[in-house]
Amino acid sequence: MTQRTRSKDWSKFLVVVDRIMRVYSEFNASILVKHEAEDISLGNILFLISIGEGEHKVSDIVRRGRYVGSNATYSIKALVAAGLINRRQDANDRRNALISWTPAGAALVKDIELSSTDTTGYCRDSWEALEALENHFARRAG
């Protein structure tokens, strides 16, 4: 059995992550068709998932997800137009908006999560490496 050489360079790991994201996009294609959301980009789907259940301040989602504000704005507009999220002004802070899943958005996220559930344990085992990767770059990004 050939043993793979393990790189100590995160950039090679990220090349694989990029390829995984393209495969993940293909994987979700039939789910998006089922929910009549096939025009929604993978980036917007990931933003939708990152919102989570309940109502959340956009500023909190942007900070937590390290999103660029203009990218978040684009995603929010696309997801509102697709009927997947609700957006309203925060009555306590008019500079901020609150967003939440619509029933259609929640159903889409539920289907994606159900079809993405890992039964092998690999997801759990990979979590530490992914957190290390995020922390490695976050420390250097400031």
Side-chain angles (χ1 to χ4, degrees):
M1 182 178 208
T2 307
Q3 186 177 20
R4 282 193 230 173
T5 304
R6 292 189 179 206
S7 174
K8 294 180 181 172
D9 175 4
W10 283 115
S11 64
K12 290 176 179 59
F13 182 85
L14 289 167
V15 168
V16 175
V17 170
D18 181 55
R19 188 171 56 244
I20 291 166
M21 295 308 293
R22 287 190 298 278
V23 171
Y24 184 66
S25 182
E26 293 170 12
F27 170 81
N28 281 323
S30 64
I31 298 168
L32 296 177
V33 168
K34 173 184 169 187
H35 288 269
E36 299 178 356
E38 58 269 19
D39 294 334
I40 301 299
S41 72
L42 178 60
N44 290 343
I45 293 300
L46 295 173
F47 188 86
L48 176 68
I49 294 167
S50 76
I51 293 169
E53 291 186 32
E55 192 171 59
H56 303 278
K57 287 183 178 182
V58 171
S59 60
D60 292 343
I61 295 166
V62 167
R63 186 178 59 255
R64 182 180 66 231
R66 300 182 69 96
Y67 291 104
V68 174
S70 60
N71 291 353
T73 299
Y74 171 79
S75 288
I76 291 166
K77 286 181 183 178
L79 294 168
V80 166
L84 298 172
I85 64 171
N86 293 311
R87 179 191 184 280
R88 69 177 183 86
Q89 204 67 37
D90 184 349
N92 297 323
D93 181 357
R94 309 259 329 138
R95 297 169 297 165
N96 212 339
L98 299 168
I99 57 176
S100 61
W101 294 335
T102 62
L108 174 57
V109 170
K110 180 181 176 184
D111 273 1
I112 290 171
E113 289 177 347
L114 284 173
S115 65
S116 300
T117 299
D118 173 42
T119 58
T120 65
Y122 289 130
C123 183
R124 182 189 62 244
D125 295 344
S126 301
W127 201 259
E128 250 182 52
L130 293 172
E131 284 180 331
L133 172 64
E134 180 181 17
N135 290 334
H136 173 80
F137 289 112
R139 282 192 305 271
R140 284 159 177 78

